[in-house]
């Protein structure tokens, strides 16, 4: 994939992040086929599908109301963008084996494990984060290529 096309895909991923209702951090993720450059799935961090709530705590951010610090307790709060993209791919019957995922920030450990086990071969993150270095280290240790752009 050319640098020009990759830059466009990253811009799309950052725009997708803007769809997130999260007041703390907006994250977008896109799974692409590196051969055809087709987007097979995408996602952003937010509440469960068909939820009537605007935020994970109803009208408030659960992480804020519980005073959860950045980069900690990633199981508390909204569904993560990477998980949504992987699950949306499964929901529509699109394989993630050998695909790439573009994420607007570095993945947390929980998402890194899902990326690895989904068979995604490369992670490109647009805005490297110091909050989730353990996720990137996990991916590298398990043979998933990681690239920041």
């Amino acid at each position: 994939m050319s640098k020009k096309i990759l830059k466009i895909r990253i811009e799309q991923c950052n725009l997708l992040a803007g769809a997130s209702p999260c007041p703390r951090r907006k994250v977008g993720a896109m799974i692409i086929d590196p051969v055809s450059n087709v987007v097979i799935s995408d996602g952003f961090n937010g509440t469960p599908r068909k939820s009537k709530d605007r935020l994970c705590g109803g009208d408030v951010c659960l992480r804020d109301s519980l005073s959860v610090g950045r980069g900690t307790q990633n199981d508390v709060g909204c569904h993560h963008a990477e998980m949504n993209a992987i699950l949306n791919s499964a929901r529509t019957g699109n394989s993630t084996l050998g695909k790439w995922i573009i994420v607007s920030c570095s993945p947390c450990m929980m998402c890194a494990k899902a990326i690895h086990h989904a068979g995604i071969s490369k992670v490109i993150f647009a805005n490297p984060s110091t909050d989730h270095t353990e996720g990137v280290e996990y991916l590298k240790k398990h043979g998933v290529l990681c690239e920041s752009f």
Side-chain angles (χ1 to χ4, degrees):
M1 181 180 311
S2 73
K3 289 280 186 188
K4 181 179 178 181
I5 291 173
L6 183 56
K7 184 177 178 185
I8 291 167
R9 290 292 187 215
I10 287 171
E11 288 172 8
Q12 289 175 304
C13 188
N14 286 330
L15 284 171
L16 181 63
S20 170
C22 182
R24 289 175 59 127
R25 180 182 233 173
K26 297 177 182 305
V27 180
M30 295 172 41
I31 299 174
I32 60 170
D33 183 325
V35 176
S36 64
N37 190 32
V38 171
V39 176
I40 64 162
S41 184
D42 61 23
F44 54 85
N45 58 318
T47 57
R49 185 179 311 281
K50 298 184 181 180
S51 174
K52 291 182 177 29
D53 293 329
R54 189 177 71 80
L55 297 172
C56 58
D59 289 331
V60 297
C61 173
L62 188 58
R63 294 176 62 81
D64 280 344
S65 62
L66 295 175
S67 299
V68 176
R70 273 184 78 131
T72 64
Q73 293 180 270
N74 293 313
D75 57 326
V76 176
C78 289
H79 294 198
H80 290 201
E82 302 94 322
M83 296 290 272
N84 275 333
I86 291 167
L87 294 171
N88 286 338
S89 184
R91 186 172 186 257
T92 58
N94 289 304
S95 174
T96 55
L97 287 174
K99 304 302 187 278
W100 294 2
I101 189 168
I102 300 172
V103 187
S104 60
C105 66
S106 306
C108 70
M109 180 62 90
M110 177 179 67
C111 289
K113 289 176 180 180
I115 289 166
H116 170 239
H117 284 273
I120 293 171
S121 62
K122 186 173 186 176
V123 180
I124 301 166
F125 37 96
N127 306 299
S129 169
T130 56
D131 291 342
H132 300 301
T133 56
E134 72 279 358
V136 175
E137 291 306 314
Y138 173 91
L139 290 166
K140 288 178 180 178
K141 179 180 176 182
H142 293 91
V144 179
L145 299 174
C146 294
E147 179 183 326
S148 61
F149 191 84

